[in-house]
Amino acid sequence: MLGHRSITRIFTMPHNPSLHLLCHPWELQTVIRMRRTWNRPARVQMPPVLAPTEPWEGTSVVWSSMHYDAASKQFLLWYEAWNPGADRPPPLDSLVCFATSVDGLQWNKPELGLFEWNGSSANNICWMMHNTGPWRYLDSPCVLVEPSAPADRRYRMVIYTQSKPEAGQAFFVLTSPNGINWTWHDEPFLTETGDRFHCIFDDRRGEYWLTSRRAHTYRDKRANPPRPRIRSVERWRSTDLRTWSGPDIHLLPDDADPPDTEFYSLYPMTAGNAYLGYLEFYDRFVERLHTELVISRDGNTWLRPERNPWLDRGTEGAWDDMWVFPTSNDPLVVGDHMLVPYVGRGTAHAGVREPMRPPRCSLGLLTFGRDRWAALTVGQDGGEFVTEPAPVTGDQLVLNVDAEFGDVRVAVLDEFGGPINGFSHAHATPIVSDAVDVPARWQTHGSVASLYGRTVRLYVKAARASVYAYSYA
């Protein structure tokens, strides 16, 4: 269990040119008798790790962001308590609450004393739409933690809002020195898109991305009579969270998808030397939502390599049997594992004919091996693959591999596929372990230090093994 695991180091997933993930097909020149197998995360525990327990939370804790604060050695969580209803008019229907945890399983909801609920400020509400003019409703709060920013803006919260009764929409950025006390800035942007969204900082390009619904589709909804529309995803880019360009990518269902498929949202992230994303796949016909993995080499063109759930719904009757999607943050790397908090719902989308009220949403936690998104896998008959040319960027070649009941041997070839003396399969020390960072060695070479800076290919032979990634350290 996570609670008994020693938490010695936790980080997210920065751009890493030296990490080559084999879930990315462009890393490979040739694959013989091996198959790409996609990993699935495991639920750390079957019940939710955070559920609504307080009156102001109602029955739903939903859109969230989680980070790990190394100074306090705590997980920090910002989550929306979303409970629309006649008894909770805006802004009481959409509150941002704050919680902390030392292990990700047991959560503390501190009394912050910032906002009143039913005459008392003894609650963990850290933001509500109060003294914000006509903007009374918020959705999908997304918190970015930026240690290098000025002290009063180390935390930034991007929110989508709607104005009442004008039915306008916009995004805003709030700032905070500590993640608890937030300052409202009346500077709306992107007024033609929303509502569900994610906002990230792409450290590969040094810019912010905001992914949301296709622009102007709200006009189709409000037309008389309404025009057909589906949910799809577009991206906007900014260097300062104020001035935005785009949209410049567009993900929408295609002919291979079932009728009534919609893309509810996309969370993109850097992964190794490229990108991965969580695509929220919404089957409008049965009102169910699961999450797929998508990949991109450049962040602009996205591929759906598997088209199956990466995060699937819980079993019938479970608290997460209708909708499941990760929170708005990269996986948290804890030693040799990754943690992915996710939101589960036991109710479907609000409907016009039969609204499912009140909504029931809680927070769960997933885990899987570090960088083990997908592997090239082979059985006892053996297989092999050759990578595309890539520079040697470190002294040590490290493999992420499961060969506990088999073996993996690595040869290093030159840029054009020719052998390099001393780095053949005959000289290679077999890898016979299951670990995320196994060093490759040869009889006369304990490392690849002599090859530093050269462009090489890897020629891997394996039997009864899975190879997930390679990197240089």
Side-chain angles (χ1 to χ4, degrees), residues 253-267:
D254 58 30
D255 291 346
D257 291 309
D260 294 310
T261 294
E262 299 187 340
F263 292 164
Y264 210 79
S265 185
L266 169 70
Y267 180 85

Side-chain angles (χ1 to χ4, degrees), residues 238-262:
S238 173
T239 58
D240 58 7
L241 288 177
R242 292 184 178 182
T243 304
W244 294 83
S245 63
D248 58 3
I249 64 170
H250 185 205
L251 276 75
L252 73 166
D254 58 30
D255 291 346
D257 291 309
D260 294 310
T261 294
E262 299 187 340

Side-chain angles (χ1 to χ4, degrees), residues 356-380:
M356 297 187 76
R357 296 290 192 226
R360 296 194 300 269
C361 312
S362 297
L363 196 74
L365 191 62
L366 309 168
T367 184
F368 63 103
R370 171 158 49 95
D371 297 323
R372 290 190 166 185
W373 303 96
L376 288 183
T377 299
V378 65
Q380 60 185 344

Side-chain angles (χ1 to χ4, degrees), residues 70-383:
S72 64
K73 297 182 179 180
Q74 293 186 107
F75 294 94
L76 310 180
L77 177 69
W78 298 265
Y79 62 93
E80 180 178 347
W82 174 68
N83 288 278
D87 60 333
R88 293 172 180 256
L92 302 180
D93 60 343
S94 53
L95 312 169
V96 182
C97 300
F98 177 73
T100 64
S101 174
V102 296
D103 61 5
L105 298 177
Q106 305 296 323
W107 288 87
N108 174 45
K109 302 175 181 179
E111 293 185 1
L112 302 178
L114 299 176
F115 295 93
E116 285 194 1
W117 174 269
N118 282 350
S120 172
S121 60
N123 57 61
N124 66 328
I125 301 170
C126 67
W127 179 255
M128 71 166 62
M129 301 301 287
H130 179 67
N131 294 328
T132 53
W135 306 100
R136 302 285 286 167
Y137 170 82
L138 70 86
D139 198 345
S140 302
C142 183
V143 175
L144 304 172
V145 181
E146 302 178 321
S148 60
D152 62 338
R153 288 179 289 162
R154 185 181 176 222
Y155 296 83
R156 303 191 196 197
M157 178 162 57
V158 184
I159 60 172
Y160 167 83
T161 64
Q162 294 178 354
S163 59
K164 307 291 183 180
E166 296 87 350
Q169 62 179 358
F171 291 87
F172 289 83
V173 177
L174 288 70
T175 57
S176 171
N178 55 15
I180 297 174
N181 304 94
W182 293 94
T183 299
W184 166 263
H185 301 278
D186 193 9
E187 300 173 355
F189 60 92
L190 297 183
T191 58
E192 299 294 338
T193 186
D195 48 7
R196 179 75 170 120
F197 81 99
H198 295 284
C199 187
I200 70 155
F201 181 75
D202 175 21
D203 61 335
R204 180 179 180 180
R205 299 185 182 184
E207 62 187 15
Y208 298 93
W209 293 1
L210 189 145
T211 57
S212 190
R213 303 281 165 73
R214 184 173 183 173
H216 306 292
T217 53
Y218 75 98
R219 300 185 184 211
D220 297 327
K221 179 180 179 181
R222 295 171 185 168
N224 187 17
R227 295 183 289 265
R229 67 186 182 99
I230 65 168
R231 296 175 177 88
S232 57
V233 176
E234 290 185 332
R235 178 190 65 181
W236 287 258
R237 299 160 60 191
S238 173
T239 58
D240 58 7
L241 288 177
R242 292 184 178 182
T243 304
W244 294 83
S245 63
D248 58 3
I249 64 170
H250 185 205
L251 276 75
L252 73 166
D254 58 30
D255 291 346
D257 291 309
D260 294 310
T261 294
E262 299 187 340
F263 292 164
Y264 210 79
S265 185
L266 169 70
Y267 180 85
M269 54 190 158
T270 54
N273 57 15
Y275 297 89
L276 285 167
Y278 301 135
L279 180 65
E280 296 175 15
F281 184 101
Y282 180 43
D283 187 336
R284 189 172 183 174
F285 184 75
V286 295
E287 300 184 347
R288 303 293 193 274
L289 184 147
H290 64 255
T291 301
E292 286 185 9
L293 277 183
V294 293
I295 61 175
S296 175
R297 190 169 191 172
D298 59 7
N300 298 326
T301 302
W302 290 83
L303 305 175
R304 298 168 59 199
E306 194 190 22
R307 293 176 178 254
N308 285 318
W310 178 75
L311 169 56
D312 207 352
R313 298 175 294 108
T315 55
E316 180 67 27
W319 62 274
D320 56 354
D321 67 346
M322 296 287 279
W323 283 30
V324 282
F325 53 89
T327 56
S328 296
N329 52 270
D330 290 2
L332 299 169
V333 182
V334 183
D336 292 343
H337 289 78
M338 286 177 159
L339 298 181
V340 178
Y342 77 98
V343 175
R345 290 174 60 160
T347 50
H349 199 283
V352 176
R353 299 181 183 88
E354 298 291 341
M356 297 187 76
R357 296 290 192 226
R360 296 194 300 269
C361 312
S362 297
L363 196 74
L365 191 62
L366 309 168
T367 184
F368 63 103
R370 171 158 49 95
D371 297 323
R372 290 190 166 185
W373 303 96
L376 288 183
T377 299
V378 65
Q380 60 185 344
D381 293 335

